[in-house]
């Protein structure tokens, strides 16, 4: 690309999304109720709480959730609810990472795109506990300072201040070289 003699490039430091990742996982948790279960009447997960921590080339989602199991015991003559708090650490790799970011300025966030959910609950082979299969998915972002290059007009922008841009005159071909993988997933 050749620049007009009145245009210059300038490097600017700004905060931007410099890393992204997503991870779906299935885990198995075991809960041992006070009584040996005869049958499982219901199982659900509540109180999911988590935080994101930068760790090398990935983001760790560190959290807890409560598993509640409604079960019968004593040959289906009595019921009870067993509750257990589960701690977890989910390492989410960054599928996109801008190597030009300033690591000391990195801030990470996590979003549960699928809250932990019980997809199966069964009595263990020994008969004294309940095995819970849990699915969950997290999306993470890393925001940091990075350097971008912008084109500036050496003579200022005074000529453009009061003019409107005719969008019909914009050439769509200018966007052919854009990498669609860098576009935000939320826009698609």
């Amino acid at each position: 690309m050749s620049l007009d003699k009145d245009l210059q490039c300038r490097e600017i430091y700004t905060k931007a999304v410099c890393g992204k990742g997503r991870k779906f996982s299935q885990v198995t948790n075991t809960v041992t109720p006070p009584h040996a279960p005869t049958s499982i009447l219901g199982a659900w997960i509540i109180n999911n709480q988590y935080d994101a921590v930068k760790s090398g080339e990935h983001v760790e989602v560190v959290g807890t959730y409560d598993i509640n199991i409604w079960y019968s015991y004593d040959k289906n003559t009595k019921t009870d609810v067993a509750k257990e708090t589960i701690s977890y650490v989910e390492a989410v790799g960054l599928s996109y990472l801008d190597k030009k970011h300033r690591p000391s300025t990195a801030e990470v966030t996590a979003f549960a795109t699928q809250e932990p959910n019980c997809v199966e609950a069964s009595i263990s082979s020994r008969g004294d506990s309940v095995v819970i299969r849990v699915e969950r998915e997290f999306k993470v972002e890393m925001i940091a300072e990075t350097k971008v290059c912008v084109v500036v007009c050496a003579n200022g922008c005074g000529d453009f201040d009061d003019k409107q841009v005719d969008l019909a005159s914009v050439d769509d071909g200018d966007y052919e070289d854009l990498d669609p993988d860098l576009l935000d997933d939320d826009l698609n």
Side-chain angles (χ1 to χ4, degrees):
M1 173 179 163
S2 63
L3 293 178
D4 185 293
K5 64 179 178 166
D6 294 332
L7 300 177
Q8 312 174 4
C9 286
R10 185 156 302 146
E11 293 177 332
I12 298 174
Y13 276 100
T14 186
K15 281 193 171 193
V17 175
C18 294
K20 287 185 175 189
R22 181 183 297 249
K23 184 174 182 184
F24 172 82
S25 62
Q26 289 186 346
V27 296
T28 302
N29 300 123
T30 302
V31 176
T32 304
H35 311 284
T38 304
S39 63
I40 307 301
L41 305 173
W44 60 99
I45 297 174
I46 60 173
N47 299 329
N48 183 38
Q49 298 177 348
Y50 57 90
D51 201 8
V53 180
K54 177 83 171 88
S55 178
E57 295 284 314
H58 63 277
V59 174
E60 288 184 346
V61 179
V62 180
T64 61
Y65 52 78
D66 296 333
I67 295 180
N68 291 280
I69 301 168
W70 181 31
Y71 67 101
S72 69
Y73 64 98
D74 200 14
K75 298 182 183 177
N76 288 326
T77 61
K78 299 175 184 169
T79 65
D80 198 0
V81 175
K83 175 186 168 188
E84 189 165 323
T85 300
I86 304 294
S87 297
Y88 63 90
V89 176
E90 190 76 64
V92 181
L94 297 174
S95 57
Y96 162 71
L97 179 62
D98 176 0
K99 299 287 187 185
K100 297 177 187 170
H101 76 279
R102 287 185 169 178
S104 62
T105 65
E107 303 168 20
V108 291
T109 57
F111 309 96
T113 54
Q114 179 178 327
E115 291 285 337
N117 182 37
C118 174
V119 292
E120 184 181 11
S122 57
I123 299 172
S124 68
S125 59
R126 292 189 343 214
D128 63 343
S129 59
V130 179
V131 178
I132 307 291
R133 190 163 49 97
V134 177
E135 289 183 344
R136 60 187 181 220
E137 183 178 40
F138 289 99
K139 177 181 175 182
V140 298
E141 289 184 343
M142 180 182 69
I143 297 172
E145 275 189 13
T146 188
K147 188 175 6 178
V148 295
C149 184
V150 296
V151 176
V152 294
C153 299
N155 298 328
C157 295
D159 192 32
F160 296 104
D161 286 345
D162 297 327
K163 293 184 181 179
Q164 294 182 352
V165 175
D166 179 13
L167 294 178
S169 67
V170 175
D171 180 14
D172 289 333
D174 291 345
Y175 304 106
E176 290 177 357
D177 294 334
L178 289 179
D179 184 353
D181 293 332
L182 297 179
L183 295 175
D184 191 334
D185 292 337
D186 297 334
L187 296 176
N188 295 329

